């Protein structure tokens, strides 16, 4: 089993550090800031063998140049469809990269929308999904499209329910506030709010989530559920039948009135 550790960066980012038990090396996912990662490596007497990047935004890739200086043999995996300085191993849909220093099998999923070339890493019953899916939410659309993001989220929804969701930001409570707007009668959302508030009050991360929990409480994965459809139609003022159109209405609602 992999040991997966959240390392806090900036105001609300998580860098995910992966290692096998007893190993002397680790792998980092989306190190936007090298300093907390280097401190963690030193504290644990570890070296960094590889970096996994999901997309080009600075808060996910900003630490790469300094990490390559600190570890000259570092392999940097990232999306082939985006221009990211320092990537040594460009990845496409379906690739199964051999990650040095890590005994684990990951498959690359292309999940565009938040950005045009966004990818995720699926394996070991875990999904490292960057900013495509958040706990109880999803990323904004930047240089991708709404339809791409809607389809990417539907693809994630088809994964095994026990899949653990490792996204890159601690946005959970804010996202749940919006989920409550969309489904004010949902007991599952209210129960999750209580649970996640307790974690934060204890100084614990709300992540990872599970896909099962997201399917029960995340409005952006529930565009086929009658209560979500009704809420979207009320906002749009018309009948909606297409899941991508329903997603777009909800995403724009959050952009406009909640974020």
């Amino acid at each position: 089993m992999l040991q997966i550790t959240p390392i806090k960066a900036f105001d609300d980012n998580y860098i995910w550090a992966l290692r096998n038990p007893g190993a002397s090396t680790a792998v980092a996912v989306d190190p936007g800031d090298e300093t907390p990662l280097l401190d963690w490596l030193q504290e644990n007497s570890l070296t960094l063998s590889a970096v996994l990047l999901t997309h080009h935004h600075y808060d996910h890739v900003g630490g790469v140049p300094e990490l390559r200086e600190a570890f000259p043999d570092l392999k940097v995996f990232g999306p082939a469809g985006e221009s990211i300085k320092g990537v040594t191993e460009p990845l496409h849909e379906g690739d199964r990269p051999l990650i040095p220093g890590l005994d684990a099998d990951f498959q690359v999923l292309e999940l565009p929308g938040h950005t045009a070339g966004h990818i995720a890493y699926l394996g070991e019953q875990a999904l490292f999904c960057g900013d495509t899916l958040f706990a109880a939410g999803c990323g904004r659309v930047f240089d991708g499209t709404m339809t791409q993001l809607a389809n990417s989220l539907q693809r994630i929804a088809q994964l095994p329910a026990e899949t653990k969701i490792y996204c890159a930001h601690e946005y959970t409570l804010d996202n749940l506030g919006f989920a409550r707007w969309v489904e004010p009668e949902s007991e599952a959302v209210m129960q999750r709010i209580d649970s996640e508030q307790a974690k934060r009050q204890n100084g614990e991360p709300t992540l990872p989530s599970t896909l099962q929990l997201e399917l029960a409480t995340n409005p952006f994965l529930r565009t086929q559920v009658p209560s979500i459809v009704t809420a979207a139609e009320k906002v749009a003022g018309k009948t909606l039948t297409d899941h991508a159109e329903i997603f777009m209405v909800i995403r724009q609602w959050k952009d406009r009135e909640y974020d």
Side-chain angles (χ1 to χ4, degrees), residues 8 90 163 191 214 224-225:
K8 295 179 182 179
T163 303
Q191 290 173 1
E214 295 309 314
Q224 80 288 358
V225 175

Side-chain angles (χ1 to χ4, degrees), residues 12 23 48 58 60 100 125-126 138-139 168 171 181 229 254:
D12 51 39
L48 191 67
Y58 183 79
H60 294 253
Q125 294 187 316
C138 71
Y171 290 164
W181 272 20
V229 176
K254 189 171 191 290

